[in-house]
Amino acid sequence: MAMVGLFWIAEGDVYVGAKPAGLTPGVRLTPEGVVALGDGRSGLHLWEDVHALTVADVPVKSLLRQVNAVRDLALNTVLELATSLGSAWGDDTPPLMTVRVEASDGEHELPAYVAAAVGYTQTEADLSQALLARLTEGAATMETTLAAMAQWGRSREGGSPRGPEREELLRGWLG
């Protein structure tokens, strides 16, 4: 499993945001279309009906966001050590992004959890948005792009690549 921009690629599966587990919300990109996952969110939006695909509420990495993440981790660690109650300081649930699917039958807003703990770089966010737009340009473009992403995921061993490599991958998938 690896994160590249706004995408989470697990073996041959491509998700926008974090890969969902159980009934949590998520969005998967398949050769057939955009799939809404999670409790009460199941649905398929076929690529032939999708006119636009964007993500709103993308947290962009900043120094303040990084400082807050370190502070929260330190506070949770202290609380866990000081009490037997575990982490009672705050909600450990990652923030949500909104995947907007503009389709023939209207606009759909699909929630997906953020995969990056302190947010995404502006460059990765921009390249990811461009890649999402590219997926709606036509069947041949979508199939080639998704196939390249899935193939990379199947051959990837280890965790997520470093920032420059992630940007290079996104640029390559953009063609």
Side-chain angles (χ1 to χ4, degrees):
M1 290 194 269
M3 182 188 72
V4 179
L6 301 181
F7 305 99
W8 190 260
I9 305 171
E11 297 171 3
D13 297 331
V14 179
Y15 299 88
V16 179
K19 178 182 177 182
L23 300 176
T24 61
V27 177
R28 183 174 171 207
L29 305 177
T30 70
E32 293 77 31
V34 180
V35 181
L37 302 169
D39 188 30
R41 293 177 185 89
S42 61
L44 171 65
H45 304 281
L46 298 173
W47 285 115
E48 61 201 37
D49 298 328
V50 175
H51 306 298
L53 188 58
T54 58
V55 180
D57 311 317
V58 175
V60 176
K61 188 183 291 188
S62 68
L63 180 57
L64 180 60
R65 186 177 299 278
Q66 290 173 316
V67 168
N68 286 337
V70 170
R71 181 203 66 206
D72 290 347
L73 177 63
L75 286 172
N76 282 333
T77 301
V78 169
L79 282 172
E80 286 179 20
L81 291 173
T83 68
S84 61
L85 298 175
S87 180
W89 178 253
D91 185 12
D92 288 337
T93 305
L96 286 168
M97 301 183 293
T98 304
V99 180
R100 292 198 172 120
V101 181
E102 187 179 313
S104 300
D105 63 346
E107 187 171 305
H108 306 273
E109 293 189 346
L110 312 175
Y113 282 113
V114 171
V118 293
Y120 303 93
T121 66
Q122 187 65 58
T123 301
E124 282 186 270
D126 292 345
L127 289 168
S128 296
Q129 295 279 17
L131 188 54
L132 288 167
R134 182 164 171 70
L135 292 173
T136 65
E137 291 177 356
T141 300
M142 177 277 304
E143 288 172 6
T144 303
T145 304
L146 270 183
M149 294 171 81
Q151 178 58 37
W152 179 86
R154 282 189 292 275
S155 65
R156 175 73 181 178
E157 292 184 20
S160 298
R162 296 226 179 259
E165 186 183 346
R166 292 192 306 264
E167 291 177 16
E168 183 180 323
L169 284 165
L170 290 166
R171 285 186 180 95
W173 294 330
L174 276 166

